Each structure stands twice: as structure tokens, then as C-alpha cells.
Amino acid sequence: AILEKAEMVSNAKMERSTKSFNFAAYHDLETLYSFMDTLVASHPNLITKVHIGNSYENRPMYALKFSTGGVSRPAIWVDAGIHSREWVTQASAAWIANQIASNYGVDPSVTSLLGQMDIYLMIVTNPDGYVFTHTNNRMWRKTRSVNSGSSCRGVDPNRNWDAGFGGPGASKDPCSESYHGPYANSEVEVKNVVDLIMGHGNFKSFISIHSYSQLLMYPYGYTCTDIPDKSELHSVGTAAIKELTSLYNTIYQVGSICKIIYQASGGSIDWTYNIGIKYSFAFELRDTGYYGFLLPANQIIPTAEETWLGLKYIMEYVCNHPY
Amino acid sequence: MLCAHWSRLRRVSSRSCCATALRSTHSSTRLSSSPERIMKTFCSVWLLLSVVELSPAQEPPLACRGAAGPAPPQPETAEDMASTGDLEPTHYPARRAAQVALHYLNTRHGSPFRVFGLQQVHKASAEDVEAGGRKYKLDFSVTDWASGSAGPALRCSADVLFPRTERHSAPDVKLRCEALQQINRTVQEEEAFYQKHIPPDSAVSARDIPDSYGNMSEEMQPFWRLARVAASFIMLRESSENTEFNMVQMASVTQQESSEEQLMLEFVVLLHDLPSQEIVQWKLLASWSPDRGVRVLQTEWQPRCPHATKPPN
């Protein structure tokens, strides 16, 4: 533990500029927030930091907005780290943020995409949980809200959305890892995102990044009934996975949440789909259970690279299929 | 062994881990899932201890009745996840059954230098059988995780029977893998590892492998794999159609004395159940030698009060 702390302190010193930010390492919240500032500072005409609200413990929640102009252009939302122990997701999102920034003006498809759409990328969607995984319990998943009448804290932020809320696939028990909370959007972390999405009004895609299991999923989780757009989303997912797999042969499966992993109510992409954001997807990144949440840092960049290919495919598709 | 907060909680019945867990409205009396069974055992022991220790003036806590525990994973849905007939190989019913077969494979053929992982399910079907169980037939491929993604895939077929009994009982697995005998046995590494740690003065001890950052030293890898293989005995035994277990960390390993030409190791492992997302902690005692493979001698579930920050030692 002492060695790790020393390592982290020295990482932080090295990471003054994004060029020396070590993408192949896991960082604490402060370092990730500082990386965001550095990224914004090096791309002032492309990226702004949007303060969408504060967490339960009053930490700021930031999304990076990639935009080349316009007013409320159609937009794509990507979030990582809503479950704080899924460390490869925050780490990959940092790499992806940097990738989008570097690709703009260089890669024709990213450049063209950003000419027509905005991208919102939230690297740490559950900052309280993330800090807790560093200071106290590496396996913490939920928010850190106090549950009245219970000594157990936290609500599963991905059971707290207003879609089949409280139904099968979430727990009523505050001590449970999948506790849905007292009511939908009770968690300020969730409410902040909901308010942003609703206030903006022009999101065309919502993509949530989790780990682990190597899956690309579409709605629904709260029911196994197929969505009307199942065919299209399944084929977009299949094509995206083909791009992902092409890099390192990492095998992913595609399907609805309910069928491929488990029935789960109150999930974010069910809510976004139901309010009309058709291209709603959730990723589960590496691996399939060997290291699980404790994925070695040397797999961060390969994971981010392959995920980026899948994500890019989806974004291009969304851009090419306005609705 | 007890949670740090446990002694305080005993006197606060309404706030105990047990009581909050028991507020679940799950009404079935069938203890079909292992988290429920675990909680019931925990609650029974807890209740017993509390009753013994409390003065007459204090109320015993809520009786541990019915099922309790983390969100019972949800196959009771009327949704068409009917696990009868041909199954979609990429969907969870087939994958969970294949994972059970994997645990079985690892108990039989895992070693400090070999742990198998599921690569893909090719075909799957399920049928109800007499005596109320459900049998899955699977065709799937596995890889040896220890040799990385470069390793060859082995084709396997398995019958996995999940009994439907009042109290949970372990699934039954029949397994055949092609060319199992022919894969490179890691004899030399095993022998070297054994010779290195069998001397009486060897006292290996380590915690948190891998660490939070996923770091694991070369030296610790074989111990981690042994923990994974030993944990497979537990994961196999505790599995049902509603669980999908993986080991997420070897929380500790402590070498024990042994007079029997076996490495004797006490492990504490953290298991993750995907459907409930719960982290479950087990302590176990296992032996290993190149000749006899892994044997698990004792297992002990360790309660983790969910609000505690660190698992009890």
C-alpha cells in the first residue's frame, strides 16, 4: 500500500500534460479530474467541461463536451464508471477522450462526425463510489448515499432509473449490491444525468460502459420482451463487435440485457430508449472473469483501443441514420 | 472472523445485517439459490449466538424465517427465458450452465499452471427431468487461461443437472473434453513449484492478489491459480441456474505445515456472483501436489456485513 501510494504520487507529478498522462495505469479521482482539465486546455476549440451537478458527497460531476459549434446539435452520450469498481471503464474513457481529441482533424470519420454531432463523454459517473474504491473498499459498486433506517449505504445507480423501476432484477434491500433505492432518480448522480438529457432534448444515442463480461447489449433489461427496434440494434451491435474483435480477437456477444446477462430493472439504457433515444447501448468490457474487476493495468490500452473501434462504429452509424 | 461491527450490531436488532436482509419479501420457502441458503445459515447461527449471549431483558432479533439475502436472481419471470428445448448459446441460461461445467473441469484438471476459462458456447439445450431437476446439454470450447489467448481451444461437451430440491444441492456434471490428455502437461513447472515450497521452512503468505491495480507478481501466479482451482470446488457446489460465479481476488494465502508431502494452503477468496452482483467471501483449506492435484479439505463462508469497509480477517 505504501508503494502504491508513492507510485500514485509520482504518476500525478508526471501527468502534468496529457502527453505524459499514463493511460496504461489506474488513477485516482483527483488525477482524472486534472487530466480532464489538461485535455480541455489543449483543445479549447473542441472540448468544454460541463459541470452537470454534484454527487451525494458534494463532488463535482463533469462531462466532457466535444463540439465544433452549432446550437444543441444532435448528440451522443457516453458514460463510464457508473459502477465504481469497474475501473477499466474510467481508464478506457480517459483514453477514448484523448483519442477523440487527437483524431479530430486527422481521422476523416471522427472529423465528419463532429462536424454534425456533439459528443458528451462522462469519465467518472459515480465519483463518490470511485473515491471509496481507492480509500476503503476496492469492490464498492454503488453510490454512497445514506439509506434511512439502514446501516448499509448506497444505491445501485443502474437500478435507479425510471424504467420498470422496482421490478424484478433489483433489490429492495439497502444492503444489497443491486438495491434500487427508495424511488426512481433518488440518487443525485442519476438525477443529474437525467436532467441534462431532458434539458438538452436532442440526444440521438446513449451508451453506458461497464465491466466485466465482454458483451454489447441493447434494451430491455427490465423485461425480456423485444424492443420494436430489436432487429436494427442487434445488427448495429453485431457490426460494432466485428470492428472491436478485429483488433485483438477479443470475443464479445451481442443481445438484449435481459436475455444475455440477466433481468435488471431501473437501468439507464431502458429509460433512454423509452424516451425516444433509439440507439441506446451498454458495453461490458474485459474480461470474462479471469481477473474480473481487477483487470491488470497492462490491459487498459488494448481494451480502450478495441472498445473505441466498436464505439466509433456505433457513432458513425448514428450519424448516418438521423431520425 | 466476525465483522468489526458485528458485536455492536448484535444489540441493535433492527439494524443487524440479518434483519435488513430479512426484509426481502421473497415468499418462497424453497431455498433454491445459494445466497439465500447462505443467509439462512448465517442468520440461524447469528440468532443462536444472540439468544445465548443476550440477557433476558433483551429481545431476540427477528426470527430468520424464509429466504433472505441479496436480490434473489429472477428466473421466476414469465418471460420467455424458458430453459427447455434448444437454447440460444449466447444467452445466460446456457452460459451459466457452461460455467458450472468449467468449475467442474477446473476441479479435475486445474493446477498451479492451468486454469480453464470459457471461450464460447456452441450449442445448448435443456429439459426437465424426473425428480424435478433440469438438465442442460452443452457443446462448448474452453481455453487454458494460463497460456493466454495464444493457447489452443479445447472442445468439450457436458451434461449439467441442476437438482430441484427443498434445500440447495450441488449440480451434477458429466464432462468430456477432446484431447484433454494430450494438452501439454506442465509437469516441469509443477515439480519445480512443488520442490520450492514443500520444504518445512517454506511459509508463503500474501494478501490481495491481484492488488487493486490488477498487479500480480510472477511468483504469486501459481498460488493465485491454485486459489482459483480450490475456489472452483466451492463455486461448483454453490452454483444454481440463478448464479454465475467467478473468483475476483485471492484475499490471502497462508501456507500451513504439512506432514503429508502435500502443499497445504489456507486461502481466503472473494467470489463474485454476476446476477446478484454480490461479493461473497470464503475461507478454505486445500492441499496440492503434482501427483494428487488439488483437494479441498475445509470451507467456511465468511459473513461480510455490507457496510463494513474491509472484509473481516
Side-chain angles (χ1 to χ4, degrees):
Chain A
I2 294 178
L3 261 176
E4 285 156 11
K5 184 99 216 274
E7 206 178 283
M8 263 168 28
V9 167
S10 92
N11 274 347
K13 285 203 174 106
M14 282 194 314
E15 282 134 26
R16 286 290 143 71
S17 85
T18 56
K19 287 205 174 81
S20 59
F21 182 80
N22 185 3
F23 292 101
Y26 293 111
H27 301 289
D28 65 11
L29 187 72
E30 196 191 318
T31 310
L32 283 179
Y33 276 17
S34 154
F35 161 75
M36 286 184 220
D37 286 338
T38 315
L39 192 68
V40 168
S42 7
H43 299 88
N45 297 325
L46 180 63
I47 316 178
T48 46
K49 192 172 80 170
V50 182
H51 181 193
I52 78 167
N54 287 350
S55 69
Y56 181 83
E57 290 175 336
N58 239 355
R59 295 183 173 87
M61 292 176 63
Y62 296 123
L64 294 178
K65 177 183 172 186
F66 295 79
S67 179
T68 58
V71 178
S72 240
R73 276 186 182 165
I76 297 170
W77 168 274
V78 181
D79 68 70
I82 198 171
H83 290 136
S84 37
R85 63 190 179 198
E86 298 167 8
W87 278 18
V88 74
T89 69
Q90 299 96 335
S92 296
W95 184 93
I96 288 169
N98 189 58
Q99 189 71 358
I100 297 173
S102 333
N103 276 1
Y104 177 69
V106 174
D107 175 303
S109 108
V110 170
T111 308
S112 153
L113 175 83
L114 285 169
Q116 301 166 71
M117 301 186 77
D118 294 343
I119 299 172
Y120 285 72
L121 176 54
M122 184 141 206
I123 296 177
V124 188
T125 311
N126 178 3
D128 295 349
Y130 193 59
V131 170
F132 201 70
T133 60
H134 285 268
T135 58
N136 276 275
N137 182 352
R138 175 61 176 83
M139 293 297 165
W140 192 261
R141 165 184 170 86
K142 302 189 286 181
T143 62
R144 288 294 299 161
S145 55
V146 168
N147 292 312
S148 93
S150 173
S151 48
C152 294
R153 286 176 75 147
V155 165
D156 184 337
N158 207 29
R159 302 288 184 278
N160 189 243
W161 300 70
D162 195 3
F165 177 83
S171 174
K172 300 172 182 9
D173 174 7
C175 297
S176 165
E177 295 281 29
S178 57
Y179 174 49
H180 50 55
Y183 51 87
N185 301 331
S186 63
E187 301 312 282
V188 66
E189 291 82 358
V190 170
K191 184 85 173 42
N192 288 338
V193 178
V194 166
D195 287 348
L196 180 123
I197 302 281
M198 297 296 280
H200 184 282
N202 205 19
F203 277 92
K204 297 301 177 188
S205 176
F206 184 98
I207 301 166
S208 190
I209 304 185
H210 296 254
S211 76
Y212 60 90
S213 285
Q214 293 174 204
L215 304 170
L216 176 52
M217 300 176 290
Y218 47 83
Y220 289 121
Y222 75 91
T223 171
C224 286
T225 305
D226 285 341
I227 50 172
D229 300 294
K230 183 239 162 104
S231 228
E232 186 187 3
L233 294 201
H234 193 92
S235 71
V236 173
T238 304
I241 264 14
K242 193 153 163 249
E243 295 304 307
L244 185 157
T245 304
S246 72
L247 196 55
Y248 296 113
N249 261 338
T250 307
I251 297 178
Y252 268 61
Q253 311 294 346
V254 182
S256 76
I257 295 172
C258 186
K259 292 184 175 167
I260 215 168
I261 196 173
Y262 42 57
Q263 191 177 14
S265 58
S268 63
I269 73 169
D270 287 0
W271 176 77
T272 57
Y273 182 80
N274 279 349
I275 60 160
I277 302 177
K278 178 159 63 149
Y279 299 113
S280 292
F281 290 95
F283 278 84
E284 293 275 0
L285 303 188
R286 294 195 193 180
D287 59 15
T288 53
Y290 191 60
Y291 289 105
F293 302 120
L294 303 182
L295 196 70
N298 63 15
Q299 289 197 43
I300 294 174
I301 294 184
T303 303
E305 287 174 328
E306 67 194 11
T307 305
W308 170 236
L309 293 185
L311 205 52
K312 198 153 76 108
Y313 179 90
I314 296 174
M315 292 189 185
E316 283 163 17
Y317 185 93
V318 172
C319 193
N320 291 331
H321 293 80
Y323 62 95
Chain B
M1 178 181 91
L2 299 178
C3 307
H5 302 271
W6 221 16
S7 50
R8 176 166 58 84
L9 289 174
R10 276 177 178 175
R11 282 143 188 76
V12 186
S13 59
S14 66
R15 293 178 183 218
S16 69
C17 301
C18 262
T20 41
L22 287 170
R23 247 173 251 137
S24 160
T25 56
H26 188 86
S27 58
S28 165
T29 55
R30 284 177 50 198
L31 297 169
S32 55
S33 86
S34 91
E36 293 161 16
R37 182 177 69 88
I38 286 167
M39 279 312 292
K40 174 158 178 153
T41 310
F42 172 39
C43 289
S44 307
V45 171
W46 190 93
L47 174 60
L48 185 67
L49 290 173
S50 301
V51 168
V52 163
E53 293 216 359
L54 291 173
S55 69
Q58 279 173 299
E59 269 183 25
L62 289 177
C64 293
R65 49 175 179 273
Q74 52 293 334
E76 312 305 342
T77 172
E79 308 292 354
D80 189 22
M81 288 311 285
S83 311
T84 305
D86 281 344
L87 302 177
E88 181 58 53
T90 59
H91 291 177
Y92 72 73
R95 195 181 57 240
R96 287 182 194 172
Q99 187 78 331
V100 170
L102 245 306
H103 294 319
Y104 178 86
L105 175 62
N106 280 321
T107 62
R108 289 289 187 276
H109 294 279
S111 81
F113 296 91
R114 171 156 295 128
V115 173
F116 291 102
L118 179 66
Q119 191 200 53
Q120 218 168 5
V121 180
H122 303 291
K123 275 166 57 175
S125 66
E127 57 178 355
D128 291 335
V129 298
E130 315 89 38
R134 190 169 280 163
K135 179 153 81 167
Y136 290 71
K137 281 176 157 6
L138 306 159
D139 169 12
F140 57 103
S141 291
V142 306
T143 53
D144 174 6
W145 269 336
S147 54
S149 48
L154 278 188
R155 193 66 172 248
C156 299
S157 64
D159 290 350
V160 176
L161 171 64
F162 292 104
R164 297 286 177 75
T165 51
E166 178 84 8
R167 312 172 80 204
H168 173 81
S169 43
D172 179 77
V173 180
K174 293 179 181 17
L175 174 75
R176 289 162 299 281
C177 291
E178 282 173 0
L180 196 53
Q181 317 79 274
Q182 293 162 31
I183 45 174
N184 286 339
R185 269 219 61 196
T186 47
V187 173
Q188 277 173 328
E189 293 109 312
E190 289 180 30
E191 206 46 55
F193 176 71
Y194 178 76
Q195 292 304 332
K196 182 170 180 191
H197 295 290
I198 200 61
D201 57 353
S202 173
V204 173
S205 154
R207 303 187 59 87
D208 293 343
I209 307 289
D211 66 16
S212 290
Y213 301 83
N215 295 325
M216 176 160 39
S217 65
E218 274 297 319
E219 213 215 326
M220 275 297 131
Q221 298 246 8
F223 289 103
W224 182 91
R225 290 186 205 114
L226 271 178
R228 183 56 167 79
V229 172
S232 299
F233 285 80
I234 298 176
M235 295 190 283
L236 172 63
R237 189 184 70 200
E238 300 299 319
S239 285
S240 73
E241 289 167 278
N242 307 328
T243 60
E244 197 169 339
F245 285 112
N246 279 299
M247 184 182 89
V248 283
Q249 193 184 48
M250 178 175 77
S252 71
V253 57
T254 316
Q255 187 168 8
Q256 310 289 304
E257 278 179 25
S258 165
S259 49
E260 290 170 39
E261 301 189 337
Q262 301 290 308
L263 287 192
M264 199 70 81
L265 299 162
E266 182 191 83
F267 295 109
V268 175
V269 296
L270 293 182
L271 307 180
H272 172 235
D273 172 44
L274 200 60
S276 67
Q277 290 292 347
E278 298 295 331
I279 304 285
V280 189
Q281 181 166 304
W282 285 85
K283 183 194 266 197
L284 58 135
L285 184 65
S287 71
W288 175 79
S289 69
D291 299 328
R292 283 189 23 193
V294 176
R295 305 217 170 171
V296 172
L297 309 169
Q298 281 172 40
T299 66
E300 182 188 302
W301 175 75
Q302 304 212 295
R304 292 177 91 209
C305 288
H307 51 277
T309 54
K310 285 218 160 30
N313 289 324

